[in-house]
Amino acid sequence: MISEKIAAILDEKFAFFNHPRFIEHDPIQIPHRFSRLQDKEIMGFWVAILAWGQRKTILQNAQTLIDLMDGTPYEFVLGHQASDLKRFEHFKHRTFQYPDTLYFLDFFQRHYQNNNSLETAFNLGLKAEDVSVEKGLNGFYDYFFQSEWAPERTKKHIASPQKNSACKRISMFLRWMVRKDEAGVDFGLWDTIKPAQLVCPLDVHAMRTAAQLGLMKEEKANWKTALALTETLRELDPSDPVKYDFALYGMGIEEKTLWN
């Protein structure tokens, strides 16, 4: 049971961090640079997957990707030829390298040739009555790697509940695409996945803060613990528990104690 004191802290911090000023300090700024749905999806997904390490480097590399795609990701994805791929040869972000880039481009091209939105890729196996997006994430993983030439090395970059991963980066991307409110930080572009089904993006910052607030034991981040934290947050808002990701993440990176 979440105490009134802790609930008040979470609501206060959610209201503070769920604000347009948050955008310029977060990777979500990358998809915010575009107006077209598909550009938001492509760069939102890609920057979310690359979102580990120094924020400055993440943003720089995301911009490099945009430049390599001539500033129009969706048009490049649909229209690029084999001769256009060599330009990505020297692009890398930590362990994400050329073979991974090639496969991402191939996946996006195959998907958008037959679908208007990336949303359909996350609906495979997901039902309206499902409590969480677990089946959707597992379905996406299988769909993403259904190509016979999918590199084994690329599989480490796409998390899934069936591997007991916390799925932090994909859960963050889904929050961007699904949640919608007046603050305008998250996009709320998708309708078939409901905010109530989202799972809290569990990283070291959120986990540490949640443990300090007594919302969970400080233990290993995995799918089980991400579900448990989300279930606890449903006490405060059953229809939108993941909105408190703003509070947990924000407090986790503040350079002051939680209680000041």
Side-chain angles (χ1 to χ4, degrees):
M1 190 74 175
I2 300 176
S3 70
E4 291 185 8
K5 178 181 179 180
I6 298 303
I9 291 173
L10 289 170
D11 283 328
E12 176 189 352
K13 293 297 185 178
F14 162 67
F16 179 79
F17 286 105
N18 183 35
H19 186 279
R21 64 174 170 267
F22 179 86
I23 296 171
E24 64 180 289
H25 301 291
D26 190 78
I28 200 173
Q29 69 175 263
I30 297 297
H32 266 287
R33 297 176 188 178
F34 299 93
S35 57
R36 184 161 43 188
L37 166 68
Q38 294 86 358
D39 288 328
K40 290 178 183 290
E41 291 177 341
I42 292 168
M43 289 313 305
F45 180 78
W46 216 329
V47 75
I49 295 302
L50 299 184
W52 85 99
Q54 292 187 337
R55 186 177 306 172
K56 180 180 178 181
T57 303
I58 295 167
L59 298 177
Q60 286 176 340
N61 285 339
Q63 183 59 53
T64 297
L65 274 174
I66 294 171
D67 294 340
L68 288 169
M69 290 187 283
D70 302 323
T72 55
Y74 180 56
E75 290 181 10
F76 183 86
V77 159
L78 283 183
H80 73 268
Q81 306 295 318
S83 58
D84 297 316
L85 299 176
K86 188 171 177 59
R87 68 177 74 174
F88 295 89
E89 190 173 7
H90 300 293
F91 175 80
K92 64 179 181 178
H93 178 77
R94 298 176 70 111
T95 62
F96 191 96
Q97 298 182 3
Y98 189 42
D100 309 310
T101 301
L102 294 183
Y103 190 74
F104 269 51
L105 289 170
D106 177 74
F107 166 77
F108 283 134
Q109 186 176 68
R110 284 185 285 110
H111 178 78
Y112 283 110
Q113 283 173 342
N114 298 293
N115 299 271
N116 184 59
S117 170
L118 195 58
E119 181 177 12
T120 56
F122 285 91
N123 291 337
L124 302 172
L126 184 66
K127 297 180 180 179
E129 63 268 23
D130 289 338
V131 175
S132 81
V133 293
E134 180 171 340
K135 292 178 182 178
L137 293 188
N138 285 332
F140 174 77
Y141 180 88
D142 294 338
Y143 173 67
F144 190 88
F145 291 111
Q146 70 179 7
S147 173
E148 61 183 15
W149 74 273
E152 191 66 29
R153 57 162 290 117
T154 307
K155 293 180 180 180
K156 66 184 176 184
H157 294 295
I158 304 297
S160 71
Q162 61 196 359
K163 298 195 293 184
N164 199 30
S165 167
C167 300
K168 178 258 180 180
R169 294 192 288 273
I170 290 185
S171 292
M172 180 176 69
F173 170 69
L174 290 184
R175 195 205 82 202
W176 296 351
M177 294 295 109
V178 173
R179 281 200 72 256
K180 184 176 184 177
D181 56 32
E182 294 180 356
V185 180
D186 294 328
F187 295 104
L189 296 170
W190 296 356
D191 296 318
T192 53
I193 301 173
K194 305 303 180 186
Q197 295 176 301
L198 297 177
V199 173
C200 194
L202 188 58
D203 66 0
V204 62
H205 299 296
M207 188 166 62
R208 181 171 61 244
T209 306
Q212 288 178 294
L213 293 174
L215 303 176
M216 63 181 297
K217 296 179 181 178
E218 192 167 6
E219 51 187 292
K220 193 171 183 179
N222 54 42
W223 186 247
K224 181 180 178 181
T225 53
L227 285 178
L229 175 59
T230 305
E231 186 61 31
T232 298
L233 295 174
R234 283 196 179 99
E235 293 181 27
L236 301 180
D237 192 336
S239 65
D240 190 14
V242 172
K243 74 182 190 182
Y244 294 107
D245 176 46
F246 283 102
L248 296 176
Y249 176 76
M251 287 189 285
I253 60 175
E254 283 182 329
E255 294 182 358
K256 58 182 179 180
T257 65
L258 298 175
W259 310 107
N260 288 341

